[in-house]
Amino acid sequence: MRLRVEFTTEPFDLDEAPAHAVVAREVIQSAELDAVDVGPFGNTAEGGADAVLTAVDELLRKALGAGATRVSLQVNVIGEGGGDDK
């Protein structure tokens, strides 16, 4: 199964990316995911179910630990894949 995750962290700061946003982006960019797109108002990544769910767990823990007061995310199934789902 393939998943797509879309997320944002808050509070927003339009002048400088807050630590929680930087940490969340680093997690997603370093994970074994495809089609990673990071931006100032939202981030998206796709990958196998195991990789996405592992990245989401790490993202939540690290972003909240770095000062996020809210993490909004959406996970969608985008396709079925064979093998180990990685």
Coordinates of all heavy atoms in Angstrom, one line a residue:
M1 N 0.9 -1.2 0.0 CA 0.0 0.0 0.0 C 0.9 1.2 0.0 O 1.9 1.3 0.7 CB -0.9 0.0 1.2 CG -1.7 1.2 1.4 SD -2.7 1.3 3.0 CE -3.1 -0.4 3.3
R2 N 0.5 2.2 -0.8 CA 1.2 3.5 -0.8 C 0.3 4.5 -0.2 O -0.9 4.5 -0.3 CB 1.5 3.9 -2.3 CG 2.6 3.1 -2.9 CD 3.1 3.6 -4.2 NE 3.4 5.0 -4.3 CZ 4.5 5.6 -3.8 NH1 5.5 4.8 -3.3 NH2 4.7 6.9 -3.9
L3 N 1.0 5.4 0.6 CA 0.3 6.5 1.3 C 0.9 7.9 0.9 O 2.1 8.0 0.5 CB 0.5 6.3 2.8 CG 0.0 5.0 3.4 CD1 0.3 5.0 4.9 CD2 -1.5 4.8 3.2
R4 N 0.1 8.9 1.0 CA 0.5 10.3 0.9 C 0.2 11.0 2.2 O -0.9 10.8 2.7 CB -0.3 11.0 -0.2 CG 0.1 12.5 -0.3 CD -0.7 13.3 -1.3 NE -0.5 12.7 -2.7 CZ -1.4 12.3 -3.5 NH1 -2.7 12.3 -3.1 NH2 -1.1 11.8 -4.7
V5 N 1.1 11.7 2.8 CA 0.9 12.4 4.0 C 1.1 13.9 3.6 O 2.0 14.3 2.9 CB 1.9 12.0 5.1 CG1 3.3 12.2 4.7 CG2 1.6 12.8 6.4
E6 N 0.2 14.7 4.1 CA 0.2 16.2 4.0 C 0.2 16.7 5.5 O -0.6 16.2 6.3 CB -1.0 16.7 3.2 CG -1.1 16.1 1.8 CD -2.3 16.6 1.1 OE1 -2.6 17.8 1.1 OE2 -3.1 15.7 0.7
F7 N 1.1 17.7 5.8 CA 1.1 18.2 7.2 C 1.5 19.6 7.2 O 2.2 20.1 6.4 CB 2.0 17.3 8.0 CG 3.4 17.4 7.7 CD1 4.2 18.3 8.4 CD2 4.0 16.6 6.8 CE1 5.6 18.5 8.1 CE2 5.4 16.7 6.5 CZ 6.2 17.7 7.1
T8 N 1.1 20.2 8.3 CA 1.6 21.6 8.7 C 1.8 21.5 10.2 O 1.2 20.8 10.9 CB 0.6 22.7 8.4 OG1 -0.6 22.4 9.1 CG2 0.4 22.8 6.9
T9 N 2.7 22.4 10.7 CA 3.0 22.6 12.1 C 2.7 24.0 12.5 O 2.8 24.9 11.6 CB 4.4 22.2 12.5 OG1 5.3 23.1 11.8 CG2 4.7 20.8 12.1
E10 N 2.3 24.2 13.7 CA 1.9 25.6 14.2 C 2.6 25.8 15.5 O 2.9 24.8 16.2 CB 0.4 25.7 14.3 CG -0.3 25.7 13.0 CD -1.8 25.8 13.1 OE1 -2.2 26.6 14.0 OE2 -2.5 25.1 12.4
P11 N 2.8 27.0 16.0 CA 2.4 28.2 15.4 C 3.2 28.7 14.2 O 4.4 28.3 14.1 CB 2.6 29.2 16.6 CG 3.7 28.6 17.4 CD 3.6 27.1 17.2
F12 N 2.6 29.4 13.3 CA 3.3 30.0 12.1 C 4.1 31.2 12.5 O 3.8 31.9 13.4 CB 2.2 30.4 11.1 CG 1.4 29.3 10.5 CD1 0.0 29.3 10.8 CD2 2.0 28.3 9.8 CE1 -0.7 28.2 10.3 CE2 1.2 27.3 9.2 CZ -0.2 27.3 9.5
D13 N 5.2 31.4 11.7 CA 6.0 32.6 11.8 C 6.4 32.9 10.4 O 7.1 32.1 9.7 CB 7.2 32.3 12.7 CG 8.1 33.6 12.8 OD1 7.9 34.5 12.0 OD2 8.9 33.6 13.7
L14 N 5.8 34.0 9.9 CA 6.1 34.3 8.5 C 7.5 34.9 8.2 O 7.9 34.9 7.1 CB 5.0 35.3 8.0 CG 3.6 34.7 8.0 CD1 2.6 35.7 7.5 CD2 3.5 33.4 7.1
D15 N 8.1 35.4 9.3 CA 9.4 36.0 9.1 C 10.6 34.9 9.1 O 11.5 35.1 8.4 CB 9.7 36.9 10.2 CG 8.8 38.1 10.2 OD1 8.4 38.5 9.0 OD2 8.4 38.7 11.2
E16 N 10.4 33.9 9.9 CA 11.5 32.8 10.0 C 10.8 31.5 10.3 O 9.9 31.4 11.1 CB 12.4 33.3 11.1 CG 13.6 32.3 11.2 CD 14.6 32.9 12.3 OE1 14.7 34.1 12.5 OE2 15.2 32.0 12.9
A17 N 11.3 30.5 9.7 CA 10.8 29.1 10.0 C 11.1 28.7 11.4 O 12.2 28.8 11.9 CB 11.4 28.1 9.0
P18 N 10.0 28.4 12.2 CA 10.2 28.0 13.6 C 10.9 26.7 13.7 O 10.9 25.9 12.7 CB 8.8 28.0 14.2 CG 7.9 28.2 13.1 CD 8.6 28.5 11.8
A19 N 11.5 26.4 14.8 CA 12.3 25.2 15.0 C 11.5 23.9 14.7 O 11.9 23.0 14.1 CB 12.9 25.1 16.4
H20 N 10.2 24.0 15.2 CA 9.4 22.8 15.0 C 9.1 22.5 13.5 O 9.0 21.4 13.1 CB 8.0 22.9 15.7 CG 7.2 24.1 15.4 ND1 6.4 24.1 14.3 CD2 7.1 25.3 16.0 CE1 5.8 25.3 14.2 NE2 6.2 26.0 15.3
A21 N 9.0 23.6 12.7 CA 8.8 23.4 11.2 C 10.1 22.8 10.6 O 10.0 22.0 9.7 CB 8.4 24.7 10.6
V22 N 11.2 23.3 11.0 CA 12.5 22.9 10.4 C 12.7 21.4 10.8 O 13.1 20.6 9.9 CB 13.7 23.7 11.0 CG1 15.0 23.2 10.6 CG2 13.5 25.2 10.5
V23 N 12.4 21.0 12.0 CA 12.6 19.6 12.4 C 11.7 18.7 11.7 O 12.1 17.7 11.2 CB 12.4 19.5 14.0 CG1 12.2 18.1 14.4 CG2 13.5 20.1 14.8
A24 N 10.4 19.1 11.5 CA 9.5 18.3 10.8 C 9.9 18.1 9.3 O 9.8 17.0 8.8 CB 8.1 18.9 10.8
R25 N 10.4 19.2 8.7 CA 10.8 19.0 7.3 C 12.1 18.1 7.2 O 12.2 17.4 6.3 CB 11.2 20.4 6.7 CG 9.9 21.2 6.5 CD 10.2 22.6 6.0 NE 9.0 23.4 6.0 CZ 9.0 24.7 6.0 NH1 10.1 25.4 6.1 NH2 7.9 25.4 6.0
E26 N 13.0 18.3 8.2 CA 14.2 17.4 8.2 C 13.8 15.9 8.3 O 14.4 15.1 7.6 CB 15.1 17.8 9.3 CG 15.8 19.1 9.0 CD 16.6 19.6 10.2 OE1 16.5 19.0 11.3 OE2 17.4 20.6 10.0
V27 N 12.8 15.6 9.1 CA 12.4 14.3 9.3 C 11.9 13.7 7.9 O 12.3 12.6 7.5 CB 11.3 14.1 10.4 CG1 10.6 12.8 10.3 CG2 11.9 14.4 11.7
I28 N 11.0 14.5 7.3 CA 10.4 14.0 6.0 C 11.5 13.9 4.9 O 11.5 13.0 4.2 CB 9.3 15.0 5.6 CG1 8.1 14.8 6.6 CG2 8.8 14.8 4.2 CD1 7.5 13.4 6.6
Q29 N 12.4 14.9 4.9 CA 13.4 14.9 3.8 C 14.4 13.8 4.0 O 15.0 13.3 3.0 CB 14.1 16.2 3.7 CG 13.2 17.3 3.2 CD 13.8 18.7 3.2 OE1 14.5 19.1 4.1 NE2 13.5 19.5 2.2
S30 N 14.6 13.3 5.2 CA 15.6 12.3 5.5 C 15.0 10.9 5.5 O 15.7 9.9 5.5 CB 16.3 12.5 6.8 OG 15.5 12.4 7.9
A31 N 13.7 10.8 5.5 CA 13.0 9.5 5.5 C 13.0 8.9 4.1 O 13.3 9.6 3.1 CB 11.5 9.7 5.9
E32 N 12.8 7.6 4.0 CA 12.8 6.9 2.7 C 11.5 7.1 2.0 O 10.7 6.1 1.9 CB 13.2 5.4 2.9 CG 14.6 5.3 3.4 CD 15.0 3.8 3.6 OE1 14.4 2.9 2.9 OE2 15.8 3.5 4.4
L33 N 11.2 8.3 1.6 CA 9.9 8.6 0.9 C 10.1 9.2 -0.4 O 11.2 9.6 -0.8 CB 9.2 9.7 1.8 CG 8.8 9.3 3.2 CD1 8.3 10.4 4.0 CD2 7.9 8.1 3.3
D34 N 9.1 9.1 -1.3 CA 9.1 9.6 -2.6 C 8.4 11.0 -2.7 O 7.6 11.3 -1.8 CB 8.4 8.7 -3.6 CG 8.7 7.2 -3.4 OD1 9.9 6.9 -3.1 OD2 7.8 6.4 -3.6
A35 N 8.6 11.7 -3.7 CA 7.8 12.9 -4.1 C 7.7 13.8 -2.9 O 6.6 14.2 -2.6 CB 6.5 12.5 -4.6
V36 N 8.8 14.1 -2.2 CA 8.7 15.0 -1.1 C 8.6 16.5 -1.6 O 9.4 16.9 -2.4 CB 9.9 14.8 -0.2 CG1 10.0 15.9 1.0 CG2 10.0 13.4 0.4
D37 N 7.7 17.2 -1.1 CA 7.5 18.6 -1.4 C 7.3 19.4 -0.1 O 6.3 19.2 0.6 CB 6.3 18.8 -2.3 CG 6.1 20.2 -2.8 OD1 7.0 21.0 -2.9 OD2 4.9 20.5 -3.1
V38 N 8.2 20.3 0.2 CA 8.1 21.1 1.4 C 7.9 22.5 1.0 O 8.4 23.0 0.0 CB 9.4 21.0 2.3 CG1 9.5 19.5 2.8 CG2 10.6 21.4 1.6
G39 N 7.1 23.2 1.8 CA 6.7 24.6 1.5 C 6.4 25.4 2.8 O 6.3 24.8 3.8
P40 N 6.2 26.7 2.7 CA 5.9 27.5 3.9 C 4.6 27.2 4.5 O 4.4 27.4 5.7 CB 6.0 28.9 3.3 CG 5.7 28.8 1.9 CD 6.2 27.5 1.4
F41 N 3.6 26.7 3.8 CA 2.3 26.5 4.3 C 1.8 25.0 4.3 O 0.7 24.8 4.7 CB 1.3 27.4 3.6 CG 1.6 28.8 3.8 CD1 2.1 29.5 2.7 CD2 1.5 29.5 5.0 CE1 2.4 30.9 2.8 CE2 1.8 30.8 5.1 CZ 2.3 31.5 4.0
G42 N 2.7 24.1 3.9 CA 2.3 22.7 3.9 C 3.4 21.9 3.3 O 4.2 22.4 2.5
N43 N 3.4 20.6 3.6 CA 4.4 19.7 3.2 C 3.7 18.4 2.7 O 2.7 18.0 3.4 CB 5.3 19.4 4.3 CG 5.9 20.7 4.9 OD1 6.8 21.3 4.3 ND2 5.4 21.1 6.0
T44 N 4.2 17.8 1.7 CA 3.6 16.5 1.2 C 4.7 15.5 0.9 O 5.8 15.9 0.5 CB 2.8 16.8 -0.1 OG1 1.9 17.8 0.2 CG2 2.1 15.6 -0.6
A45 N 4.4 14.3 1.2 CA 5.4 13.2 0.8 C 4.6 11.9 0.6 O 3.5 11.7 1.1 CB 6.4 13.0 1.9
E46 N 5.1 11.1 -0.2 CA 4.5 9.8 -0.6 C 5.5 8.7 -0.4 O 6.7 8.9 -0.5 CB 4.1 9.8 -2.0 CG 3.0 10.8 -2.4 CD 2.7 10.8 -3.9 OE1 3.2 9.9 -4.6 OE2 1.9 11.7 -4.2
G47 N 5.0 7.5 -0.1 CA 5.9 6.3 0.0 C 5.1 5.1 0.4 O 3.9 5.1 0.6
G48 N 5.8 4.0 0.7 CA 5.2 2.8 1.2 C 4.6 3.1 2.6 O 5.1 3.9 3.3
A49 N 3.6 2.3 2.9 CA 2.9 2.5 4.2 C 3.9 2.5 5.4 O 3.8 3.3 6.3 CB 1.8 1.4 4.4
D50 N 4.8 1.5 5.4 CA 5.7 1.4 6.6 C 6.6 2.7 6.7 O 6.7 3.2 7.8 CB 6.6 0.2 6.5 CG 5.8 -1.1 6.8 OD1 4.7 -1.1 7.3 OD2 6.3 -2.2 6.4
A51 N 7.1 3.1 5.6 CA 8.0 4.3 5.6 C 7.2 5.5 6.0 O 7.7 6.4 6.8 CB 8.6 4.5 4.2
V52 N 6.0 5.7 5.5 CA 5.2 6.9 5.8 C 4.8 6.9 7.3 O 5.0 7.9 8.0 CB 4.0 7.0 4.9 CG1 3.0 8.1 5.4 CG2 4.4 7.3 3.5
L53 N 4.3 5.8 7.8 CA 3.9 5.7 9.2 C 5.1 5.9 10.1 O 4.9 6.5 11.2 CB 3.2 4.4 9.4 CG 1.8 4.3 8.6 CD1 1.2 2.9 8.8 CD2 0.9 5.3 9.0
T54 N 6.2 5.3 9.8 CA 7.4 5.6 10.6 C 7.8 7.0 10.6 O 8.1 7.6 11.7 CB 8.6 4.7 10.1 OG1 8.2 3.3 10.2 CG2 9.8 4.9 10.9
A55 N 7.8 7.7 9.5 CA 8.1 9.1 9.4 C 7.1 9.9 10.1 O 7.5 10.9 10.8 CB 8.2 9.5 7.9
V56 N 5.8 9.6 10.1 CA 4.8 10.4 10.8 C 5.0 10.3 12.3 O 4.9 11.3 13.0 CB 3.4 9.9 10.4 CG1 2.3 10.5 11.3 CG2 3.1 10.4 8.9
D57 N 5.3 9.1 12.8 CA 5.6 8.9 14.2 C 6.8 9.8 14.6 O 6.7 10.6 15.6 CB 5.9 7.5 14.5 CG 6.3 7.3 16.0 OD1 5.4 7.5 16.8 OD2 7.5 6.9 16.2
E58 N 7.9 9.8 13.9 CA 9.0 10.6 14.2 C 8.7 12.1 14.1 O 9.2 12.9 14.9 CB 10.2 10.2 13.3 CG 11.5 10.9 13.7 CD 12.7 10.5 12.8 OE1 12.6 9.6 12.0 OE2 13.8 11.1 13.0
L59 N 8.0 12.4 13.0 CA 7.7 13.8 12.8 C 6.9 14.4 14.0 O 7.2 15.5 14.5 CB 6.8 13.9 11.5 CG 6.3 15.3 11.1 CD1 6.2 15.3 9.6 CD2 4.9 15.6 11.7
L60 N 5.8 13.7 14.4 CA 5.0 14.1 15.6 C 5.9 14.3 16.8 O 5.8 15.3 17.5 CB 3.9 13.1 15.8 CG 2.8 13.1 14.8 CD1 1.8 12.0 15.0 CD2 2.0 14.4 14.7
R61 N 6.7 13.3 17.1 CA 7.5 13.3 18.4 C 8.5 14.5 18.4 O 8.6 15.2 19.3 CB 8.2 12.0 18.6 CG 7.3 10.9 18.9 CD 8.0 9.5 19.0 NE 7.1 8.4 19.0 CZ 6.5 8.0 20.1 NH1 6.8 8.6 21.3 NH2 5.7 7.0 20.1
K62 N 9.1 14.7 17.2 CA 10.2 15.7 17.2 C 9.6 17.1 17.0 O 10.1 18.1 17.6 CB 11.2 15.4 16.0 CG 12.0 14.2 16.3 CD 13.1 14.0 15.4 CE 14.1 12.9 15.8 NZ 15.2 12.7 14.9
A63 N 8.5 17.3 16.2 CA 7.9 18.6 16.1 C 7.3 19.1 17.4 O 7.5 20.2 17.8 CB 6.9 18.6 15.0
L64 N 6.6 18.2 18.1 CA 6.1 18.6 19.4 C 7.2 18.9 20.4 O 7.1 19.8 21.2 CB 5.1 17.5 19.9 CG 3.8 17.3 19.1 CD1 3.1 16.0 19.5 CD2 2.9 18.5 19.2
G65 N 8.2 18.1 20.4 CA 9.4 18.3 21.2 C 10.1 19.6 21.0 O 10.7 20.2 21.8
A66 N 10.0 20.1 19.7 CA 10.6 21.3 19.3 C 9.7 22.6 19.4 O 10.0 23.6 18.9 CB 11.2 21.2 17.9
G67 N 8.5 22.4 20.1 CA 7.7 23.6 20.3 C 6.4 23.7 19.5 O 5.7 24.7 19.7
A68 N 6.1 22.7 18.7 CA 4.8 22.8 17.9 C 3.7 22.7 18.9 O 3.7 21.9 19.9 CB 4.7 21.7 16.9
T69 N 2.7 23.5 18.7 CA 1.5 23.5 19.6 C 0.3 22.8 18.8 O -0.7 22.4 19.5 CB 1.0 24.9 20.0 OG1 0.8 25.7 18.8 CG2 2.1 25.6 20.8
R70 N 0.5 22.6 17.5 CA -0.5 21.8 16.7 C 0.2 21.3 15.5 O 1.1 21.9 14.9 CB -1.6 22.8 16.3 CG -2.5 22.1 15.3 CD -3.6 23.0 14.7 NE -4.6 23.2 15.7 CZ -5.8 23.6 15.4 NH1 -6.1 24.0 14.2 NH2 -6.7 23.7 16.4
V71 N -0.1 20.0 15.2 CA 0.4 19.4 14.0 C -0.9 18.9 13.3 O -1.6 18.1 13.8 CB 1.3 18.3 14.2 CG1 1.8 17.6 12.9 CG2 2.5 18.7 15.0
S72 N -1.2 19.4 12.1 CA -2.3 19.0 11.3 C -1.8 18.1 10.2 O -0.9 18.5 9.5 CB -3.0 20.2 10.7 OG -3.5 21.1 11.7
L73 N -2.4 16.9 10.1 CA -1.9 16.0 9.1 C -3.1 15.2 8.5 O -4.1 15.0 9.1 CB -0.8 15.1 9.5 CG -1.0 14.1 10.6 CD1 -1.5 12.8 10.0 CD2 0.3 13.9 11.3
Q74 N -2.9 14.8 7.3 CA -3.8 14.0 6.6 C -3.1 12.9 5.9 O -2.0 13.2 5.3 CB -4.6 14.9 5.5 CG -5.6 14.1 4.7 CD -6.4 15.0 3.8 OE1 -6.9 16.1 4.3 NE2 -6.5 14.7 2.6
V75 N -3.6 11.7 6.0 CA -2.9 10.5 5.3 C -3.9 9.9 4.4 O -5.1 9.6 4.8 CB -2.4 9.5 6.4 CG1 -1.8 8.3 5.7 CG2 -1.4 10.1 7.3
N76 N -3.5 9.7 3.2 CA -4.4 9.1 2.2 C -3.8 7.9 1.6 O -2.6 7.9 1.3 CB -4.7 10.1 1.0 CG -5.5 11.3 1.5 OD1 -6.6 11.2 2.0 ND2 -4.9 12.5 1.3
V77 N -4.6 6.9 1.3 CA -4.1 5.7 0.5 C -4.2 6.1 -0.9 O -5.2 6.6 -1.4 CB -5.0 4.5 0.8 CG1 -4.6 3.3 -0.1 CG2 -5.0 4.1 2.2
I78 N -3.0 6.0 -1.6 CA -3.0 6.4 -3.0 C -2.8 5.2 -4.0 O -2.8 5.4 -5.2 CB -1.9 7.5 -3.3 CG1 -0.5 7.0 -2.8 CG2 -2.3 8.7 -2.5 CD1 0.6 7.9 -3.2
G79 N -2.5 4.0 -3.4 CA -2.4 2.9 -4.3 C -2.0 1.7 -3.6 O -1.6 1.7 -2.4
E80 N -2.1 0.6 -4.2 CA -1.7 -0.7 -3.7 C -0.3 -1.1 -4.3 O -0.1 -0.9 -5.5 CB -2.7 -1.8 -4.0 CG -4.0 -1.5 -3.3 CD -4.0 -1.6 -1.8 OE1 -3.2 -2.4 -1.3 OE2 -4.7 -0.8 -1.1
G81 N 0.5 -1.6 -3.5 CA 1.8 -2.1 -4.0 C 2.1 -3.5 -3.5 O 1.6 -3.9 -2.5
G82 N 2.9 -4.2 -4.2 CA 3.2 -5.5 -3.8 C 4.5 -5.5 -2.9 O 5.0 -4.5 -2.6
G83 N 4.9 -6.6 -2.5 CA 6.1 -6.7 -1.7 C 6.0 -6.3 -0.3 O 4.9 -6.5 0.3
D84 N 7.0 -5.7 0.2 CA 7.1 -5.3 1.6 C 6.6 -3.9 2.0 O 6.7 -3.5 3.1 CB 8.5 -5.5 2.2 CG 9.5 -4.6 1.4 OD1 9.1 -3.7 0.6 OD2 10.7 -4.7 1.7
D85 N 6.0 -3.2 1.0 CA 5.4 -1.9 1.3 C 6.4 -0.9 1.7 O 6.1 0.1 2.4 CB 4.3 -2.0 2.3 CG 3.1 -2.7 1.7 OD1 2.9 -2.8 0.5 OD2 2.3 -3.2 2.6
K86 N 7.7 -1.0 1.3 CA 8.7 0.0 1.6 C 9.0 0.9 0.4 O 8.9 0.6 -0.7 CB 9.9 -0.7 2.2 CG 9.6 -1.3 3.5 CD 10.9 -1.8 4.1 CE 10.5 -2.5 5.5 NZ 11.6 -3.0 6.1

